[in-house]
Amino acid sequence: MKQLQPYRRRINYYETDQMQVVHHSNYARYLEEARLDMMEQAGLAYDKLEELGIIIPVLELHDYYSYALHFGDTVEIHAHITRLTPVRFHLKYEIKSMEGQLLHTAETSHGFVDTDFRPMNLKKKYPEIYENLQQYVEDEPL
Amino acid sequence: MKQLQPYRRRINYYETDQMQVVHHSNYARYLEEARLDMMEQAGLAYDKLEELGIIIPVLELHDYYSYALHFGDTVEIHAHITRLTPVRFHLKYEIKSMEGQLLHTAETSHGFVDTDFRPMNLKKKYPEIYENLQQYVEDEPL
Amino acid sequence: MKQLQPYRRRINYYETDQMQVVHHSNYARYLEEARLDMMEQAGLAYDKLEELGIIIPVLELHDYYSYALHFGDTVEIHAHITRLTPVRFHLKYEIKSMEGQLLHTAETSHGFVDTDFRPMNLKKKYPEIYENLQQYVEDEPL
Amino acid sequence: MKQLQPYRRRINYYETDQMQVVHHSNYARYLEEARLDMMEQAGLAYDKLEELGIIIPVLELHDYYSYALHFGDTVEIHAHITRLTPVRFHLKYEIKSMEGQLLHTAETSHGFVDTDFRPMNLKKKYPEIYENLQQYVEDEPL
């Protein structure tokens, strides 16, 4: 498996709520940033995929909030592909402080669809993209 | 000029920030809600306009924050068309508490463009829509 | 178990993304709106709870995206308490179209904490609030 | 006047809307990021100011949208203090493409208030912070 860099990200003021911590809805956005960054590192920039007519909607999202994030914090997000099939892929995420403390874990699963949201067999339709993704699947994630 | 109803709206928890008030970026969203509601009352639902290929991007936004909004508040937003030309329109907004206190004023201006973002002369291209909008222009706004 | 009204909600333009559907991060916000509305119907308005020093952060969030939501759609969100313990509670959600089609299901779990984010035994600290919540727990959810 | 670095920022997928461009409400967030980054460069990190009880709400926001921003774009935001009084300050912003094209201009004005939102005379209360900010005021902005 090829090695990818974690995604580094600072917490913005407007992402906090009156509980004085990051509002929980923002994590889905952080995960998306990390996922698209990971795919770009893998040579699969998402704007290029959309130009090819490959849309990758989220089918499931699972967030496990362990420690709150605060304005000004810098975090590293590790995104891993844990499973790839011709029509779906699954990712696992860890958000860590710069000192390495695990703050949040998450999982998402995604389908490959065309611009009309019809399921696409990525392996058949774009075998080279499928094979590229396959290099990044981790057998023993996390 | 035909009379339209103000748009009523409750403030959500996720719209607050750690200052314990609504984050200022959300007002542009409240104004959009009120503007699209006003246009729908005028028979110009925005999804119908987009289907016709009429896109109405924001060209300018001016926000004057007088009193903060808080989670749980209910407000009324009054949106008025203050000026209409064949290629642009301008709106003025007032956000008021249910007791009638003025909390925020704002202005936006918009262009009419096609789906390629090229300017459109709405008066020529869709005269009936233009005339419809014209009924709602207020000479003496607010 | 007392009966509560589902929460009705219209989809805003600014909640869409360039996939032409609602961005998946917004569902957490819709769920929050429905959850706080449900609690208010139960006599437990969240601003009152915060004034008492009861904070209810999200510990887990699970979203199952079945059908996309679009700008202008109106949906009904059914929020049910599925489990209550002295220190936590769990909810299940269904988002349905006005025709009754199931579009999305979700689950959240929450802890009761004080303003310093220390775990709180709600049953001991605020027995009347705990008992109130208990009336709304559904044995056979959904 | 001391020289500060512009703030570099990439556009996220979730910041787009179904018009296929960045939703206009996000610019207020980009400006906030640039403003807080600028202040941190000036030795005035906003979390430190909040700890001192100095809150700096937005009083006015003016956005001039010239060219749309797209997912994946990288932009540079130049934030300049244009005026400082003991109770307020004013900023001007330019958002530019990496090739130097001007895409957006904006202005904000802010008050200095205490944690109860009462106006604060920053020059009297925190003269050293006021003097620090003064070094960054531009006579001939932009």
Side-chain angles (χ1 to χ4, degrees):
Chain A
M1 197 216 57
K2 290 196 181 178
Q3 206 54 47
L4 300 167
Q5 291 304 307
Y7 177 73
R8 195 168 292 184
R9 204 322 178 160
R10 198 141 180 226
I11 303 305
N12 295 309
Y13 193 85
Y14 58 80
E15 292 162 342
T16 61
D17 64 22
Q18 70 182 43
M19 224 180 261
Q20 318 276 349
V21 298
V22 167
H23 189 268
H24 65 278
S25 63
N26 289 302
Y27 288 72
R29 302 180 171 195
Y30 301 162
L31 303 178
E32 179 182 279
E33 290 180 36
R35 180 171 64 251
L36 299 186
D37 178 75
M38 184 270 280
M39 291 177 68
E40 188 169 354
Q41 288 187 55
L44 298 168
Y46 194 65
D47 46 357
K48 301 294 177 294
L49 297 181
E50 280 201 346
E51 280 171 25
L52 293 172
I54 306 170
I55 308 291
I56 310 183
V58 176
L59 301 179
E60 291 188 17
L61 167 66
H62 304 278
D63 274 306
Y64 303 89
Y65 302 85
S66 301
Y67 291 95
L69 300 180
H70 299 86
F71 164 57
D73 287 353
T74 299
V75 294
E76 275 193 351
I77 308 177
H78 302 252
H80 311 261
I81 302 176
T82 53
R83 197 162 150 251
L84 175 70
T85 76
V87 295
R88 284 199 179 196
F89 80 131
H90 302 258
L91 292 99
K92 213 163 178 176
Y93 308 81
E94 291 186 327
I95 302 182
K96 292 182 176 174
S97 72
M98 297 309 289
E99 293 74 37
Q101 190 190 7
L102 184 60
L103 305 171
H104 188 89
T105 56
E107 293 174 46
T108 59
S109 63
H110 305 260
F112 305 115
V113 301
D114 65 20
T115 50
D116 293 321
F117 277 74
R118 280 177 310 221
M120 174 192 289
N121 186 316
L122 187 71
K123 192 178 180 180
K124 279 194 188 160
K125 189 97 188 270
Y126 292 105
E128 69 293 352
I129 290 175
Y130 184 79
E131 279 157 36
N132 192 348
L133 269 177
Q134 228 171 2
Q135 299 175 74
Y136 297 96
V137 178
E138 295 196 24
D139 288 340
E140 307 254 337
L142 305 186
Chain B
M1 195 215 61
K2 291 198 182 177
Q3 206 54 46
L4 301 167
Q5 290 305 306
Y7 177 72
R8 195 168 290 185
R9 208 306 185 173
R10 198 142 179 225
I11 303 304
N12 295 308
Y13 192 86
Y14 59 79
E15 292 162 343
T16 61
D17 65 22
Q18 69 181 43
M19 223 179 261
Q20 317 277 348
V21 298
V22 167
H23 190 268
H24 66 278
S25 62
N26 289 303
Y27 288 71
R29 302 180 172 197
Y30 301 163
L31 303 178
E32 180 182 280
E33 290 180 36
R35 180 171 62 250
L36 300 186
D37 178 75
M38 185 270 282
M39 290 177 68
E40 189 170 353
Q41 288 187 56
L44 298 168
Y46 194 67
D47 46 357
K48 301 294 178 295
L49 297 182
E50 280 202 345
E51 278 171 26
L52 293 173
I54 305 170
I55 308 289
I56 309 183
V58 176
L59 301 179
E60 292 189 16
L61 167 67
H62 304 278
D63 273 307
Y64 302 89
Y65 302 86
S66 301
Y67 292 94
L69 300 179
H70 299 87
F71 164 59
D73 287 353
T74 299
V75 294
E76 275 193 350
I77 309 178
H78 302 252
H80 311 260
I81 302 177
T82 53
R83 197 163 150 250
L84 175 70
T85 77
V87 295
R88 284 200 180 194
F89 80 133
H90 302 258
L91 292 98
K92 212 163 179 176
Y93 308 82
E94 291 186 326
I95 302 181
K96 292 182 177 175
S97 73
M98 296 310 288
E99 293 75 37
Q101 189 189 10
L102 183 60
L103 305 172
H104 188 89
T105 56
E107 294 174 45
T108 59
S109 62
H110 304 260
F112 304 115
V113 302
D114 65 20
T115 51
D116 294 322
F117 278 74
R118 279 177 310 220
M120 174 192 289
N121 186 315
L122 187 72
K123 192 178 180 180
K124 279 194 189 161
K125 190 97 186 270
Y126 292 104
E128 70 293 351
I129 290 175
Y130 184 78
E131 279 156 36
N132 192 349
L133 270 176
Q134 227 169 2
Q135 299 175 75
Y136 297 97
V137 178
E138 295 195 25
D139 289 339
E140 307 254 336
L142 306 186
Chain C
M1 194 216 60
K2 290 198 182 176
Q3 206 54 44
L4 301 167
Q5 291 304 306
Y7 177 72
R8 196 168 290 184
R9 206 312 182 171
R10 198 140 180 228
I11 304 303
N12 295 309
Y13 193 86
Y14 59 78
E15 292 163 341
T16 62
D17 65 22
Q18 70 181 43
M19 224 180 260
Q20 318 276 347
V21 298
V22 167
H23 190 269
H24 66 277
S25 62
N26 289 302
Y27 288 72
R29 302 179 172 197
Y30 301 163
L31 304 177
E32 180 181 280
E33 290 180 35
R35 180 171 62 251
L36 298 186
D37 178 75
M38 184 271 282
M39 290 176 69
E40 189 170 355
Q41 287 186 56
L44 298 168
Y46 194 66
D47 45 358
K48 300 295 176 295
L49 297 182
E50 281 201 347
E51 279 170 27
L52 293 173
I54 306 170
I55 308 290
I56 310 183
V58 176
L59 301 178
E60 291 190 17
L61 167 66
H62 304 278
D63 274 306
Y64 302 89
Y65 302 85
S66 300
Y67 292 93
L69 300 179
H70 299 87
F71 164 57
D73 288 353
T74 299
V75 294
E76 275 193 352
I77 308 178
H78 302 250
H80 311 260
I81 303 176
T82 54
R83 198 164 150 249
L84 175 70
T85 76
V87 294
R88 285 201 180 192
F89 80 132
H90 302 258
L91 292 99
K92 212 163 179 175
Y93 309 82
E94 291 186 326
I95 302 182
K96 292 181 174 175
S97 73
M98 296 310 288
E99 293 74 37
Q101 190 189 8
L102 183 60
L103 306 171
H104 188 89
T105 55
E107 293 173 46
T108 59
S109 63
H110 304 259
F112 305 115
V113 302
D114 64 20
T115 50
D116 294 321
F117 278 74
R118 280 176 309 218
M120 173 191 289
N121 187 315
L122 187 71
K123 193 178 179 180
K124 279 195 190 161
K125 190 96 187 271
Y126 292 104
E128 72 293 351
I129 291 176
Y130 184 79
E131 278 157 36
N132 192 349
L133 270 176
Q134 227 170 4
Q135 298 176 76
Y136 297 96
V137 178
E138 295 195 24
D139 288 339
E140 308 253 337
L142 306 185
Chain D
M1 196 215 59
K2 289 197 181 176
Q3 205 54 48
L4 301 167
Q5 290 304 307
Y7 177 72
R8 196 168 290 185
R9 206 313 180 166
R10 200 143 179 224
I11 303 303
N12 295 309
Y13 193 86
Y14 59 79
E15 291 162 343
T16 62
D17 64 23
Q18 70 182 42
M19 225 180 260
Q20 318 275 346
V21 297
V22 167
H23 189 270
H24 66 277
S25 62
N26 289 301
Y27 288 72
R29 302 180 170 195
Y30 301 163
L31 303 178
E32 179 181 280
E33 291 181 35
R35 180 172 62 250
L36 299 187
D37 179 75
M38 184 271 281
M39 290 177 68
E40 188 170 354
Q41 287 186 56
L44 298 168
Y46 194 67
D47 46 358
K48 299 295 176 294
L49 297 182
E50 280 201 344
E51 279 170 28
L52 293 173
I54 307 170
I55 309 290
I56 310 183
V58 176
L59 301 179
E60 292 189 17
L61 166 67
H62 304 278
D63 273 306
Y64 303 88
Y65 301 85
S66 301
Y67 292 94
L69 300 180
H70 299 86
F71 165 57
D73 287 353
T74 299
V75 294
E76 275 193 353
I77 309 178
H78 302 252
H80 310 261
I81 301 176
T82 54
R83 197 162 150 251
L84 175 70
T85 76
V87 294
R88 284 200 180 195
F89 80 132
H90 302 259
L91 292 99
K92 212 162 178 177
Y93 308 82
E94 291 185 327
I95 302 182
K96 292 182 176 176
S97 73
M98 296 309 288
E99 293 74 36
Q101 191 189 5
L102 183 60
L103 306 172
H104 188 90
T105 55
E107 294 174 45
T108 58
S109 62
H110 304 260
F112 305 115
V113 301
D114 65 20
T115 50
D116 293 321
F117 278 73
R118 281 178 306 221
M120 174 192 289
N121 186 315
L122 187 71
K123 193 178 179 181
K124 279 194 190 161
K125 189 97 186 268
Y126 293 104
E128 70 293 352
I129 290 176
Y130 184 79
E131 278 157 35
N132 192 348
L133 270 176
Q134 228 172 2
Q135 299 175 74
Y136 297 96
V137 178
E138 294 195 25
D139 289 337
E140 307 252 338
L142 306 185

